[in-house]
Amino acid sequence: MGDRLIPRTQTIELSADGNECRAAAGGVAGSLAVLRFVPDSGVMSVAGIAGKTRRYRGVIECRVLSGQVALINELPLEDYLRGLAEEPDTEPYEKQRAFAIAARSYAAYWMIPAHRKFPGQPYDASDSPATFQAYAGVDFEKNNPRWLNAAQSTFGEVLTYNGEVVRVPYFSSDDGRTRTPGEAGWTNFPLAKEVFYSKPDPWCEGMTLRGHGVGMSGCGALGQAKDGKTYD
């Protein structure tokens, strides 16, 4: 379909056609179970129903999942990390670098076939922080160049234990100590006893627990960065 039916310079409207994805542009339309769009420039703009437009690197794949159109952004892990919208340039650079490793480790863990977070689905992640991470694409990296530097300066770095990538949780703030996975109600959490035991977090004394409290502390990382510590 692609090149012969829909010129890449045109706006393409996508909709569900039964269990297939329907693409229409310039009076021409067609449907397939899977439609893949590869931009010539490496970046593609996607406008949602609410009118908000975002730009993404890599391939955009259209499928119909549970009766609704689903757009899947297929791209390398490092390009994904560039558009991760969780540590803007309002945060200290060394905190951003530490977070880049935690976030990369978390995403990489779920890319391992034995650890699929969305088993049976044609994707490894979601763009919702409620279920995965807040991914916003190219515009976030353009508006936060220091975050882009933080991600690139830690290229490929992940946390491991005995050679295995660690599933790294992180959260906003605690009240002076981190929590164990058990305290958060997480049963059978990987490396709970080896890595994720409760630790003093003096940079967060007097604050309120916001989040699950397990793993990397946002207020702790902020305090350490302000104290002059580096990410490593």
Side-chain angles (χ1 to χ4, degrees):
M1 186 174 168
D3 292 340
R4 290 180 295 172
L5 293 182
I6 302 178
R8 299 186 182 193
T9 56
Q10 290 189 3
T11 297
I12 303 168
E13 293 185 2
L14 301 173
S15 59
D17 183 9
N19 292 323
E20 295 187 335
C21 188
R22 182 178 185 272
V28 178
S31 301
L32 287 173
V34 180
L35 290 176
R36 290 170 62 83
F37 302 95
V38 183
D40 290 328
S41 64
V43 175
M44 185 178 299
S45 296
V46 177
I49 296 175
K52 186 173 183 178
T53 299
R54 283 182 173 174
R55 297 181 298 158
Y56 298 95
R57 298 184 184 279
V59 174
I60 297 291
E61 185 174 279
C62 179
R63 295 173 180 249
V64 175
L65 303 177
S66 301
Q68 295 184 331
V69 171
L71 298 184
I72 302 171
N73 187 194
E74 180 183 302
L75 74 172
L77 176 58
E78 293 300 326
D79 282 351
Y80 164 77
L81 201 70
R82 293 165 67 168
L84 196 61
E86 298 190 354
E87 281 294 314
D89 282 3
T90 52
E91 300 296 325
Y93 181 59
E94 292 302 322
K95 181 191 176 189
Q96 289 179 309
R97 297 176 85 190
F99 176 81
I101 294 177
R104 183 186 292 110
S105 301
Y106 182 84
Y109 176 88
W110 292 113
M111 292 173 65
I112 299 170
H115 301 156
R116 295 291 300 276
K117 187 163 190 176
F118 304 98
Q121 298 296 334
Y123 50 82
D124 296 308
S126 79
D127 60 0
S128 168
T131 56
F132 202 80
Q133 294 173 317
Y135 173 64
V138 172
D139 293 322
F140 182 80
E141 65 180 77
K142 294 295 184 182
N143 295 327
N144 296 273
R146 189 154 41 78
W147 161 252
L148 181 59
N149 289 336
Q152 293 177 328
S153 71
T154 60
F155 184 94
E157 292 186 46
V158 293
L159 294 173
T160 63
Y161 185 86
N162 288 339
E164 299 293 328
V165 177
V166 178
R167 175 178 161 186
V168 182
Y170 47 87
F171 63 95
S172 180
S173 65
D174 59 57
D175 53 3
R177 70 175 182 91
T178 64
R179 268 51 175 181
T180 66
E183 287 179 286
W186 300 348
T187 59
N188 301 317
F189 192 80
L191 303 175
K193 295 182 179 180
E194 296 87 346
V195 176
F196 297 107
Y197 48 89
S198 177
K199 305 177 182 71
D201 194 1
W203 299 274
C204 305
E205 287 284 356
M207 295 186 181
T208 301
L209 179 64
R210 293 178 56 203
H212 46 69
V214 183
M216 180 177 172
S217 157
C219 54
L222 175 64
Q224 292 180 69
K226 288 183 175 179
D227 285 348
K229 294 191 176 184
T230 58
Y231 82 98
D232 52 349

